[in-house]
Amino acid sequence: MDLGLAGKTALVLGAGGGLGGAIATALAKEGARVAIGDIDGEALKKTAAAIEAAGSKALPLTWDLADLASIDTHVAAIEAAFGPVDVLVNNTGGPPPTPASGQDPAVWAKHFQSMVLSVIALTDRVLPQMRAKKFGRIITSTSSGVVAPIPNLGMSNALRLTLVGWSKTLAREVGRDGVTVNIVLPGRIATPRIRFLDEQKAKRENRSVEEVSAESTASIPVGRYGDPKEYGDVVAFLASTRASYLTGSVIRVDGGFIPSI
């Protein structure tokens, strides 16, 4: 199936991590030129190499999402190298595990800026050209906590849910301009972030990481953690011309793990 992404310009945030790297590679395999941003410049090198191995072009950008003032500079560099952004994949890191109560307001404000305001401001920067071209894809990767809150991830649950409301509202505003806006969320995908969360849970409960992982695996109907490539393939479809009638949705890539309807 031709996804219609050849020659398109994509920007993937958090591309040095497991999910972001898989998304960037999946888009590259479909012929998109991919700009990749991450605060970890060294981690971007691996993703850039995977993009080039897929036969496409990469533009790595060391990017601190909390620095809103840098957005225009980075986007201008992408436009100069590849042209206007056609596909934006908002994918941010998460805050540390915390309960919902008792957190310093300054910590809430810090993560709100890096996880929410950065996404909104960046989208606003690239959206006008998408609307002018009558084509655009805005895809925001969040967490299963937005539909089934995860214990001890109170800050993550709350902040990521903010993006769901924003995304749904935006989808209605730009749908007639050929721009789709969707949320995609992972269940238990085998990434360093999930390994970290398993380790933290094991430490809190005085259990082994292997025991925690086995318990988690047993709760997944397909019987395993997901492969990051599977997540990347779903995002590539959402970015495609084939997904032009799919907007304002929350897409789960979870192997049936999330218990809510």
Side-chain angles (χ1 to χ4, degrees):
M1 179 185 292
D2 181 4
L3 297 185
L5 289 171
K8 300 290 188 187
T9 297
L11 167 57
V12 180
L13 300 178
L19 293 182
I23 292 166
T25 303
L27 292 169
K29 288 179 178 178
E30 296 299 327
R33 298 165 298 190
V34 190
I36 48 177
D38 199 287
I39 197 169
D40 186 345
E42 285 299 311
L44 285 177
K45 292 180 180 179
K46 181 179 179 180
T47 304
I51 290 169
E52 291 167 1
S56 191
K57 295 181 179 179
L59 178 63
L61 299 163
T62 302
W63 195 325
D64 180 359
L65 293 178
D67 181 10
L68 303 185
S70 69
I71 289 174
D72 190 65
T73 300
H74 287 311
V75 174
I78 296 166
E79 292 170 341
F82 294 157
V85 174
D86 300 298
V87 176
L88 170 62
V89 181
N90 294 308
N91 175 46
T92 71
T98 63
S101 63
Q103 304 308 309
D104 188 327
V107 177
W108 279 102
K110 172 187 174 182
H111 290 292
F112 180 77
Q113 176 151 325
S114 64
M115 293 175 61
V116 179
L117 285 183
S118 62
V119 166
I120 294 171
L122 175 57
T123 301
D124 283 347
R125 171 62 175 80
V126 302
L127 190 56
Q129 292 194 66
M130 289 182 177
R131 299 178 85 169
K133 291 189 296 181
K134 299 294 182 181
F135 179 88
R137 299 288 183 263
I138 298 164
I139 302 161
T140 303
S141 179
T142 57
S143 161
S144 63
V146 304
V147 292
I150 303 169
N152 206 49
L153 286 183
M155 191 172 291
S156 175
N157 295 335
L159 295 179
R160 295 190 193 278
L161 189 55
T162 301
L163 291 172
V164 177
W166 162 81
S167 181
K168 181 66 173 181
T169 306
L170 183 61
R172 295 184 66 88
E173 295 175 357
V174 301
R176 292 182 183 272
D177 297 319
V179 180
T180 66
V181 188
N182 290 293
I183 294 286
V184 60
L185 54 90
R188 307 292 290 182
I189 310 292
T191 64
R193 169 73 174 173
I194 290 298
R195 176 72 180 182
F196 168 75
L197 293 177
D198 282 351
E199 289 172 346
Q200 291 297 302
K201 183 176 182 180
K203 184 177 180 180
R204 290 195 309 273
E205 299 178 359
N206 195 28
R207 296 195 290 161
S208 70
V209 175
E210 291 71 23
E211 184 181 358
V212 168
S213 297
E215 180 182 80
S216 182
T217 299
S219 69
I220 302 171
V222 301
R224 62 178 176 83
Y225 280 16
D227 188 318
K229 292 180 180 179
E230 294 172 306
Y231 194 75
D233 287 342
V234 172
V235 174
F237 174 74
L238 291 174
S240 74
T241 57
R242 300 281 183 152
S244 58
Y245 202 61
L246 203 170
T247 193
S249 295
V250 176
I251 310 300
R252 310 177 186 202
V253 187
D254 69 337
F257 169 72
I258 300 169
S260 64
I261 295 174

